[in-house]
Each structure stands twice: as C-alpha cells, then as structure tokens.
Amino acid sequence: MEFLRTRRDLPIYPWRNNQIRIAADDNEVWEIPDPDGHWQRLLQLCDGIQSDVAIVQTMVAAGVSTEDAEGALTQLREAGPVVAFKSPYVESADDERARGKLEHLDALAIQRRLETMRVTVIGAGGGGSHFLMHLAAIGVRHMRIVDYDRVEVSNLNRQWMYDIDHIGYAKVKVASEYISRHVAGSQVQSFNQKLERVADIQSIVRGSDWVFCAADEPPYQMQRLVNYACMAEGIPSVYAFSQRQSGRMMEVIPGVTGCIDCLLATSDDRSPSFRQLVTSLVLNQFQPDTPLISPTLGLMTSWIMKRWVDLVTGPDLARGNAVLRLDFSTLAVAPVSTWIRRPDCVTCGDHGNADHALWQLVPIA
Ligand SMILES: [Zn+2]
C-alpha cells in the first residue's frame, strides 16, 4: 500500500475542451481529456493521506472501473505529477523548512538521506563557502569544514557568506556559525588548519560520504593530496576549478572512475606542454587573483551543486572520467577532457607508474 500525493510545485487547472491541465512549465505539462471530471476527482484524492487502495475504492464508488482507476494512478506516478510515500504524508516542522525543495528532490526519502549524509568541504573560500551555503539550504546537516584563511575585505565582492563584521575571523568559524543558524539539528566540525599531509586529510575526511575539494593551492598538489586520502578511505569526491570564462568540475568515485592521478598521467601522455605547465606553476609559485566575480562564482558553484544533487539522488547519471566545463557566457556544459582508470596508477592501480616524473614535480606524503 502506498500513499499518493500530487506534487505541490504543479498547478492543476481546467483547460479548454473539457481537459484538465497539470503544470505550466514549457517542457513539463500534461493535458488530459476529462469530460466526466474523473481525473480531476482522482487528483484531488491524491492528498498524501489516503492510500492508493482507498483512492481506487472512492473512484469505483463514483462509477469508474477498478482497472481504469488503477491505470490512471499508475500513469500519474510514472509520468511524474504524483509521488508516492510508504506511510501517510504528514508534514512536520522540519518538512516546512524543506518545502519547495521536497518536490525537486523527489520526496521525503531523499530529504532524509541528505539529512543523514556526512559531507566534508575542503576550503571555505569562494568555492567552498558557496558549496556550504547550498548544502545547508538543501538540508545536509553533518558537515566538516577545513580552511586556514581569515576573512579579508577582498573576499566580500563575491563570497556571499561573509560580510564586513567577519573581517579577521577564521573562515571556518564564520562558516560553521552560518550553518548552525540555517540548519536545524546541524552538526558541524570545523578544522582551522592548513592541509599538507595525506594523513591529516585522511583523519578529517574519514567517515564522510562525500568530499568537496574547493582548495586549489598548491596547484595539483592539493588535488593529489585530497584524492589520495579519499581513495584510501573509499570516499567519492568532487573537484572544482575556475577560470575567467568557465568553471570546471569532476567527480572521482572509488572503484568506478579513474582518479586525479589517472587524469594527470593521461594529460601528460596526451600533451607535451602539460608537464611544462605543471613545472612552471610549481616553480613560480605564482599566486594570481581569483578570475571569478560574484555572478560567475555563483554560476559555477550552483552548477556543481546541482550536478552533485543529481549524482546522489539519480542513480542513472553517467558519472566521472570527464572534466566538465561550464561556459559562463553561453551556459553550455561540455566535457573538455576525458580519461579512464589506469591499471598502472600510483594511487588507484598497481603503482606501476610510481616513477612517473609528475610525482616528483608535485609530491605528496
Ligand atoms: Zn588513479
């Protein structure tokens, strides 16, 4: 037995020629001939409290055959405007906070999953602070935050979490207070430290369900450190990179996709200039200003977070083995680089490429 409810983000209204119309979005709308008003009655009965069995009985009493009533409910569920619950849907105070997003996230089970998920965000600067705000808003309660920076005036033009009163405070302190204020029942652990060793990262991420790597200094080395720690702990991870005109992201899923070191070795195989680039960045220790402004940072982090929500709630999404690029002007998303899991990988394979010159350039320990 299930309890059915119409999605609350969809308007239902009479339409021309005795039809009933569900929704108004340009790409998601249903128009159903309803000369007898049976569909309208059926949709009204889908209130989350009545069971599917009771709804069918009511429709049969109104003169509809059992087969038609059951068929109509199946169609509504499969098409999407009606969602099913295992028990009667009674809204709690917490669900009131979640209103709106429940419909997007396909009902309560996913909301509960997000609430119990443990997520670590490495870096609380531009990328990390925005990820944390999104995670808080969609209901993730268990978060760990790592950063060693303090809030500076130059952050305020784009890092929405911080304001003038926060100048000089540790970012992790401000961020954990933000989450505590925004998420009922949140549990936040903050680590005000610079990450330089695999062992430190491992002990922080241990027990997490996902890790977001939004720290990019030192270049390549930070991603390698996080990657190694996450692979050792068997935790999937997301990596974000920004450029002036585009944002990039990729996910690494242990046992499923290649890892960061697979990507680096593959990039080195493909392009002779790759190692030169790594060498230059490492040797020059160039610390450029951020290429992002407020809207591009918002676009990039929102895009990445939307993809992550799809990843954790939609089991059919193709994942990993591609660096995805979001063009900030056209909003087109395309893979810019693909790779596969390498059997010889120093981190996720048989260590066959342990002598690769790249690992001397960007060593981790
Ligand atoms: Zn690998």
Side-chain angles (χ1 to χ4, degrees), residues 306-335:
K306 168 68 170 72
R307 179 169 167 84
W308 178 77
V309 170
D310 290 345
L311 276 172
V312 298
T313 60
D316 298 332
L317 196 69
R319 50 192 65 197
N321 289 350
V323 180
L324 299 178
R325 175 185 190 274
L326 169 71
D327 185 302
F328 291 144
S329 297
T330 65
L331 303 187
V333 173

PDB file of all heavy atoms in Angstrom, residues 306-335:
ATOM      1  N   LYS A 306      24.206  21.427  -8.293  1.00  0.00           N
ATOM      2  CA  LYS A 306      23.074  20.776  -8.965  1.00  0.00           C
ATOM      3  C   LYS A 306      23.504  19.407  -9.493  1.00  0.00           C
ATOM      4  O   LYS A 306      22.772  18.416  -9.357  1.00  0.00           O
ATOM      5  CB  LYS A 306      22.580  21.675 -10.110  1.00  0.00           C
ATOM      6  CG  LYS A 306      21.603  21.017 -11.073  1.00  0.00           C
ATOM      7  CD  LYS A 306      20.259  20.723 -10.419  1.00  0.00           C
ATOM      8  CE  LYS A 306      19.202  20.306 -11.429  1.00  0.00           C
ATOM      9  NZ  LYS A 306      19.387  18.971 -11.978  1.00  0.00           N
ATOM     10  N   ARG A 307      24.685  19.365 -10.077  1.00  0.00           N
ATOM     11  CA  ARG A 307      25.148  18.071 -10.589  1.00  0.00           C
ATOM     12  C   ARG A 307      25.338  17.081  -9.439  1.00  0.00           C
ATOM     13  O   ARG A 307      25.018  15.902  -9.552  1.00  0.00           O
ATOM     14  CB  ARG A 307      26.451  18.246 -11.374  1.00  0.00           C
ATOM     15  CG  ARG A 307      26.961  16.905 -11.904  1.00  0.00           C
ATOM     16  CD  ARG A 307      28.087  17.007 -12.891  1.00  0.00           C
ATOM     17  NE  ARG A 307      28.677  15.682 -13.088  1.00  0.00           N
ATOM     18  CZ  ARG A 307      28.206  14.782 -13.933  1.00  0.00           C
ATOM     19  NH1 ARG A 307      27.160  15.042 -14.668  1.00  0.00           N
ATOM     20  NH2 ARG A 307      28.784  13.590 -14.044  1.00  0.00           N
ATOM     21  N   TRP A 308      25.865  17.577  -8.324  1.00  0.00           N
ATOM     22  CA  TRP A 308      26.073  16.684  -7.183  1.00  0.00           C
ATOM     23  C   TRP A 308      24.730  16.146  -6.666  1.00  0.00           C
ATOM     24  O   TRP A 308      24.603  14.961  -6.371  1.00  0.00           O
ATOM     25  CB  TRP A 308      26.828  17.410  -6.064  1.00  0.00           C
ATOM     26  CG  TRP A 308      27.028  16.552  -4.867  1.00  0.00           C
ATOM     27  CD1 TRP A 308      27.958  15.546  -4.720  1.00  0.00           C
ATOM     28  CD2 TRP A 308      26.271  16.578  -3.646  1.00  0.00           C
ATOM     29  NE1 TRP A 308      27.818  14.956  -3.481  1.00  0.00           N
ATOM     30  CE2 TRP A 308      26.794  15.566  -2.806  1.00  0.00           C
ATOM     31  CE3 TRP A 308      25.224  17.353  -3.180  1.00  0.00           C
ATOM     32  CZ2 TRP A 308      26.290  15.315  -1.529  1.00  0.00           C
ATOM     33  CZ3 TRP A 308      24.718  17.109  -1.902  1.00  0.00           C
ATOM     34  CH2 TRP A 308      25.255  16.096  -1.098  1.00  0.00           C
ATOM     35  N   VAL A 309      23.737  17.017  -6.571  1.00  0.00           N
ATOM     36  CA  VAL A 309      22.403  16.552  -6.141  1.00  0.00           C
ATOM     37  C   VAL A 309      21.903  15.477  -7.105  1.00  0.00           C
ATOM     38  O   VAL A 309      21.370  14.442  -6.686  1.00  0.00           O
ATOM     39  CB  VAL A 309      21.409  17.738  -6.059  1.00  0.00           C
ATOM     40  CG1 VAL A 309      19.978  17.234  -5.863  1.00  0.00           C
ATOM     41  CG2 VAL A 309      21.781  18.660  -4.914  1.00  0.00           C
ATOM     42  N   ASP A 310      22.100  15.697  -8.406  1.00  0.00           N
ATOM     43  CA  ASP A 310      21.703  14.677  -9.383  1.00  0.00           C
ATOM     44  C   ASP A 310      22.477  13.374  -9.156  1.00  0.00           C
ATOM     45  O   ASP A 310      21.927  12.285  -9.263  1.00  0.00           O
ATOM     46  CB  ASP A 310      21.946  15.170 -10.812  1.00  0.00           C
ATOM     47  CG  ASP A 310      20.984  16.281 -11.204  1.00  0.00           C
ATOM     48  OD1 ASP A 310      19.972  16.466 -10.500  1.00  0.00           O
ATOM     49  OD2 ASP A 310      21.256  16.967 -12.203  1.00  0.00           O
ATOM     50  N   LEU A 311      23.760  13.517  -8.849  1.00  0.00           N
ATOM     51  CA  LEU A 311      24.592  12.324  -8.653  1.00  0.00           C
ATOM     52  C   LEU A 311      24.108  11.499  -7.460  1.00  0.00           C
ATOM     53  O   LEU A 311      24.063  10.275  -7.527  1.00  0.00           O
ATOM     54  CB  LEU A 311      26.056  12.730  -8.389  1.00  0.00           C
ATOM     55  CG  LEU A 311      26.935  13.002  -9.592  1.00  0.00           C
ATOM     56  CD1 LEU A 311      28.263  13.582  -9.127  1.00  0.00           C
ATOM     57  CD2 LEU A 311      27.172  11.741 -10.388  1.00  0.00           C
ATOM     58  N   VAL A 312      23.771  12.180  -6.373  1.00  0.00           N
ATOM     59  CA  VAL A 312      23.417  11.426  -5.168  1.00  0.00           C
ATOM     60  C   VAL A 312      21.947  11.022  -5.144  1.00  0.00           C
ATOM     61  O   VAL A 312      21.562  10.174  -4.355  1.00  0.00           O
ATOM     62  CB  VAL A 312      23.769  12.177  -3.860  1.00  0.00           C
ATOM     63  CG1 VAL A 312      25.263  12.412  -3.782  1.00  0.00           C
ATOM     64  CG2 VAL A 312      23.026  13.489  -3.734  1.00  0.00           C
ATOM     65  N   THR A 313      21.141  11.614  -6.014  1.00  0.00           N
ATOM     66  CA  THR A 313      19.721  11.240  -5.998  1.00  0.00           C
ATOM     67  C   THR A 313      19.283  10.503  -7.259  1.00  0.00           C
ATOM     68  O   THR A 313      18.235   9.884  -7.267  1.00  0.00           O
ATOM     69  CB  THR A 313      18.813  12.486  -5.840  1.00  0.00           C
ATOM     70  OG1 THR A 313      19.047  13.367  -6.924  1.00  0.00           O
ATOM     71  CG2 THR A 313      19.084  13.197  -4.525  1.00  0.00           C
ATOM     72  N   GLY A 314      20.070  10.571  -8.312  1.00  0.00           N
ATOM     73  CA  GLY A 314      19.688   9.919  -9.570  1.00  0.00           C
ATOM     74  C   GLY A 314      20.678   8.836  -9.924  1.00  0.00           C
ATOM     75  O   GLY A 314      21.772   9.128 -10.379  1.00  0.00           O
ATOM     76  N   PRO A 315      20.344   7.592  -9.690  1.00  0.00           N
ATOM     77  CA  PRO A 315      21.314   6.518  -9.875  1.00  0.00           C
ATOM     78  C   PRO A 315      21.716   6.291 -11.328  1.00  0.00           C
ATOM     79  O   PRO A 315      22.712   5.640 -11.596  1.00  0.00           O
ATOM     80  CB  PRO A 315      20.575   5.283  -9.333  1.00  0.00           C
ATOM     81  CG  PRO A 315      19.121   5.639  -9.393  1.00  0.00           C
ATOM     82  CD  PRO A 315      19.040   7.123  -9.232  1.00  0.00           C
ATOM     83  N   ASP A 316      20.986   6.867 -12.279  1.00  0.00           N
ATOM     84  CA  ASP A 316      21.265   6.552 -13.679  1.00  0.00           C
ATOM     85  C   ASP A 316      22.225   7.517 -14.357  1.00  0.00           C
ATOM     86  O   ASP A 316      22.553   7.360 -15.515  1.00  0.00           O
ATOM     87  CB  ASP A 316      19.959   6.529 -14.480  1.00  0.00           C
ATOM     88  CG  ASP A 316      19.033   5.446 -13.965  1.00  0.00           C
ATOM     89  OD1 ASP A 316      19.555   4.442 -13.434  1.00  0.00           O
ATOM     90  OD2 ASP A 316      17.813   5.617 -14.071  1.00  0.00           O
ATOM     91  N   LEU A 317      22.668   8.538 -13.622  1.00  0.00           N
ATOM     92  CA  LEU A 317      23.504   9.551 -14.263  1.00  0.00           C
ATOM     93  C   LEU A 317      24.887   8.992 -14.597  1.00  0.00           C
ATOM     94  O   LEU A 317      25.512   8.355 -13.770  1.00  0.00           O
ATOM     95  CB  LEU A 317      23.641  10.733 -13.302  1.00  0.00           C
ATOM     96  CG  LEU A 317      24.152  12.026 -13.892  1.00  0.00           C
ATOM     97  CD1 LEU A 317      23.103  12.619 -14.822  1.00  0.00           C
ATOM     98  CD2 LEU A 317      24.465  13.012 -12.780  1.00  0.00           C
ATOM     99  N   ALA A 318      25.339   9.261 -15.818  1.00  0.00           N
ATOM    100  CA  ALA A 318      26.708   8.884 -16.180  1.00  0.00           C
ATOM    101  C   ALA A 318      27.650   9.710 -15.321  1.00  0.00           C
ATOM    102  O   ALA A 318      27.447  10.900 -15.131  1.00  0.00           O
ATOM    103  CB  ALA A 318      26.956   9.177 -17.651  1.00  0.00           C
ATOM    104  N   ARG A 319      28.643   9.077 -14.770  1.00  0.00           N
ATOM    105  CA  ARG A 319      29.471   9.797 -13.819  1.00  0.00           C
ATOM    106  C   ARG A 319      30.964   9.599 -14.072  1.00  0.00           C
ATOM    107  O   ARG A 319      31.400   8.562 -14.520  1.00  0.00           O
ATOM    108  CB  ARG A 319      29.119   9.375 -12.398  1.00  0.00           C
ATOM    109  CG  ARG A 319      29.097   7.875 -12.221  1.00  0.00           C
ATOM    110  CD  ARG A 319      28.475   7.468 -10.910  1.00  0.00           C
ATOM    111  NE  ARG A 319      27.055   7.828 -10.849  1.00  0.00           N
ATOM    112  CZ  ARG A 319      26.361   7.885  -9.727  1.00  0.00           C
ATOM    113  NH1 ARG A 319      26.930   7.646  -8.595  1.00  0.00           N
ATOM    114  NH2 ARG A 319      25.081   8.167  -9.746  1.00  0.00           N
ATOM    115  N   GLY A 320      31.688  10.643 -13.738  1.00  0.00           N
ATOM    116  CA  GLY A 320      33.132  10.547 -13.682  1.00  0.00           C
ATOM    117  C   GLY A 320      33.830  10.436 -15.022  1.00  0.00           C
ATOM    118  O   GLY A 320      33.224  10.460 -16.089  1.00  0.00           O
ATOM    119  N   ASN A 321      35.167  10.359 -14.913  1.00  0.00           N
ATOM    120  CA  ASN A 321      36.036  10.186 -16.073  1.00  0.00           C
ATOM    121  C   ASN A 321      35.897  11.292 -17.103  1.00  0.00           C
ATOM    122  O   ASN A 321      36.197  11.100 -18.274  1.00  0.00           O
ATOM    123  CB  ASN A 321      35.807   8.828 -16.746  1.00  0.00           C
ATOM    124  CG  ASN A 321      36.329   7.691 -15.890  1.00  0.00           C
ATOM    125  OD1 ASN A 321      37.022   7.923 -14.903  1.00  0.00           O
ATOM    126  ND2 ASN A 321      36.013   6.477 -16.253  1.00  0.00           N
ATOM    127  N   ALA A 322      35.417  12.445 -16.669  1.00  0.00           N
ATOM    128  CA  ALA A 322      35.365  13.587 -17.577  1.00  0.00           C
ATOM    129  C   ALA A 322      35.505  14.867 -16.757  1.00  0.00           C
ATOM    130  O   ALA A 322      34.897  14.997 -15.699  1.00  0.00           O
ATOM    131  CB  ALA A 322      34.048  13.612 -18.350  1.00  0.00           C
ATOM    132  N   VAL A 323      36.333  15.774 -17.273  1.00  0.00           N
ATOM    133  CA  VAL A 323      36.348  17.116 -16.713  1.00  0.00           C
ATOM    134  C   VAL A 323      35.266  17.883 -17.457  1.00  0.00           C
ATOM    135  O   VAL A 323      35.317  18.002 -18.679  1.00  0.00           O
ATOM    136  CB  VAL A 323      37.712  17.811 -16.930  1.00  0.00           C
ATOM    137  CG1 VAL A 323      37.693  19.207 -16.326  1.00  0.00           C
ATOM    138  CG2 VAL A 323      38.838  16.980 -16.343  1.00  0.00           C
ATOM    139  N   LEU A 324      34.257  18.347 -16.727  1.00  0.00           N
ATOM    140  CA  LEU A 324      33.169  19.090 -17.367  1.00  0.00           C
ATOM    141  C   LEU A 324      33.450  20.577 -17.272  1.00  0.00           C
ATOM    142  O   LEU A 324      33.982  21.064 -16.268  1.00  0.00           O
ATOM    143  CB  LEU A 324      31.837  18.768 -16.686  1.00  0.00           C
ATOM    144  CG  LEU A 324      31.405  17.307 -16.739  1.00  0.00           C
ATOM    145  CD1 LEU A 324      30.100  17.115 -15.985  1.00  0.00           C
ATOM    146  CD2 LEU A 324      31.263  16.832 -18.178  1.00  0.00           C
ATOM    147  N   ARG A 325      33.077  21.277 -18.318  1.00  0.00           N
ATOM    148  CA  ARG A 325      33.330  22.718 -18.381  1.00  0.00           C
ATOM    149  C   ARG A 325      32.011  23.449 -18.579  1.00  0.00           C
ATOM    150  O   ARG A 325      31.243  23.111 -19.486  1.00  0.00           O
ATOM    151  CB  ARG A 325      34.251  23.014 -19.571  1.00  0.00           C
ATOM    152  CG  ARG A 325      34.509  24.475 -19.853  1.00  0.00           C
ATOM    153  CD  ARG A 325      35.352  24.585 -21.139  1.00  0.00           C
ATOM    154  NE  ARG A 325      35.833  25.942 -21.359  1.00  0.00           N
ATOM    155  CZ  ARG A 325      35.143  26.890 -21.973  1.00  0.00           C
ATOM    156  NH1 ARG A 325      33.935  26.642 -22.420  1.00  0.00           N
ATOM    157  NH2 ARG A 325      35.672  28.095 -22.146  1.00  0.00           N
ATOM    158  N   LEU A 326      31.767  24.422 -17.721  1.00  0.00           N
ATOM    159  CA  LEU A 326      30.602  25.298 -17.892  1.00  0.00           C
ATOM    160  C   LEU A 326      31.079  26.622 -18.456  1.00  0.00           C
ATOM    161  O   LEU A 326      31.895  27.314 -17.828  1.00  0.00           O
ATOM    162  CB  LEU A 326      29.908  25.544 -16.542  1.00  0.00           C
ATOM    163  CG  LEU A 326      28.841  26.647 -16.543  1.00  0.00           C
ATOM    164  CD1 LEU A 326      27.595  26.210 -17.306  1.00  0.00           C
ATOM    165  CD2 LEU A 326      28.474  27.057 -15.117  1.00  0.00           C
ATOM    166  N   ASP A 327      30.588  26.964 -19.631  1.00  0.00           N
ATOM    167  CA  ASP A 327      30.924  28.246 -20.239  1.00  0.00           C
ATOM    168  C   ASP A 327      30.049  29.329 -19.598  1.00  0.00           C
ATOM    169  O   ASP A 327      28.824  29.248 -19.644  1.00  0.00           O
ATOM    170  CB  ASP A 327      30.660  28.161 -21.752  1.00  0.00           C
ATOM    171  CG  ASP A 327      31.107  29.429 -22.464  1.00  0.00           C
ATOM    172  OD1 ASP A 327      30.625  30.531 -22.116  1.00  0.00           O
ATOM    173  OD2 ASP A 327      31.935  29.306 -23.373  1.00  0.00           O
ATOM    174  N   PHE A 328      30.672  30.319 -18.989  1.00  0.00           N
ATOM    175  CA  PHE A 328      29.911  31.319 -18.246  1.00  0.00           C
ATOM    176  C   PHE A 328      29.057  32.219 -19.155  1.00  0.00           C
ATOM    177  O   PHE A 328      28.103  32.840 -18.692  1.00  0.00           O
ATOM    178  CB  PHE A 328      30.843  32.211 -17.424  1.00  0.00           C
ATOM    179  CG  PHE A 328      31.508  31.490 -16.279  1.00  0.00           C
ATOM    180  CD1 PHE A 328      32.817  31.797 -15.916  1.00  0.00           C
ATOM    181  CD2 PHE A 328      30.831  30.513 -15.555  1.00  0.00           C
ATOM    182  CE1 PHE A 328      33.429  31.146 -14.850  1.00  0.00           C
ATOM    183  CE2 PHE A 328      31.439  29.857 -14.492  1.00  0.00           C
ATOM    184  CZ  PHE A 328      32.733  30.171 -14.142  1.00  0.00           C
ATOM    185  N   SER A 329      29.419  32.322 -20.436  1.00  0.00           N
ATOM    186  CA  SER A 329      28.642  33.185 -21.330  1.00  0.00           C
ATOM    187  C   SER A 329      27.474  32.448 -21.964  1.00  0.00           C
ATOM    188  O   SER A 329      26.364  32.959 -22.017  1.00  0.00           O
ATOM    189  CB  SER A 329      29.546  33.746 -22.429  1.00  0.00           C
ATOM    190  OG  SER A 329      30.529  34.547 -21.844  1.00  0.00           O
ATOM    191  N   THR A 330      27.727  31.246 -22.465  1.00  0.00           N
ATOM    192  CA  THR A 330      26.659  30.511 -23.164  1.00  0.00           C
ATOM    193  C   THR A 330      25.920  29.554 -22.237  1.00  0.00           C
ATOM    194  O   THR A 330      24.867  29.045 -22.590  1.00  0.00           O
ATOM    195  CB  THR A 330      27.237  29.680 -24.314  1.00  0.00           C
ATOM    196  OG1 THR A 330      28.100  28.674 -23.751  1.00  0.00           O
ATOM    197  CG2 THR A 330      28.040  30.545 -25.281  1.00  0.00           C
ATOM    198  N   LEU A 331      26.515  29.271 -21.080  1.00  0.00           N
ATOM    199  CA  LEU A 331      25.997  28.288 -20.113  1.00  0.00           C
ATOM    200  C   LEU A 331      26.005  26.865 -20.668  1.00  0.00           C
ATOM    201  O   LEU A 331      25.342  25.981 -20.125  1.00  0.00           O
ATOM    202  CB  LEU A 331      24.594  28.657 -19.626  1.00  0.00           C
ATOM    203  CG  LEU A 331      24.454  30.037 -18.983  1.00  0.00           C
ATOM    204  CD1 LEU A 331      23.068  30.212 -18.393  1.00  0.00           C
ATOM    205  CD2 LEU A 331      25.506  30.250 -17.909  1.00  0.00           C
ATOM    206  N   ALA A 332      26.743  26.669 -21.764  1.00  0.00           N
ATOM    207  CA  ALA A 332      26.858  25.314 -22.299  1.00  0.00           C
ATOM    208  C   ALA A 332      27.810  24.501 -21.422  1.00  0.00           C
ATOM    209  O   ALA A 332      28.809  25.022 -20.933  1.00  0.00           O
ATOM    210  CB  ALA A 332      27.388  25.357 -23.724  1.00  0.00           C
ATOM    211  N   VAL A 333      27.455  23.224 -21.235  1.00  0.00           N
ATOM    212  CA  VAL A 333      28.318  22.315 -20.476  1.00  0.00           C
ATOM    213  C   VAL A 333      28.845  21.256 -21.436  1.00  0.00           C
ATOM    214  O   VAL A 333      28.086  20.688 -22.220  1.00  0.00           O
ATOM    215  CB  VAL A 333      27.536  21.623 -19.345  1.00  0.00           C
ATOM    216  CG1 VAL A 333      28.401  20.563 -18.673  1.00  0.00           C
ATOM    217  CG2 VAL A 333      27.062  22.650 -18.322  1.00  0.00           C
ATOM    218  N   ALA A 334      30.136  21.030 -21.401  1.00  0.00           N
ATOM    219  CA  ALA A 334      30.723  20.012 -22.278  1.00  0.00           C
ATOM    220  C   ALA A 334      31.950  19.419 -21.603  1.00  0.00           C
ATOM    221  O   ALA A 334      32.615  20.098 -20.822  1.00  0.00           O
ATOM    222  CB  ALA A 334      31.112  20.640 -23.615  1.00  0.00           C
ATOM    223  N   PRO A 335      32.233  18.148 -21.899  1.00  0.00           N
ATOM    224  CA  PRO A 335      33.480  17.592 -21.373  1.00  0.00           C
ATOM    225  C   PRO A 335      34.666  18.187 -22.112  1.00  0.00           C
ATOM    226  O   PRO A 335      34.649  18.278 -23.328  1.00  0.00           O
ATOM    227  CB  PRO A 335      33.338  16.086 -21.650  1.00  0.00           C
ATOM    228  CG  PRO A 335      32.308  15.961 -22.702  1.00  0.00           C
ATOM    229  CD  PRO A 335      31.445  17.188 -22.667  1.00  0.00           C
TER     230      PRO A 335
END
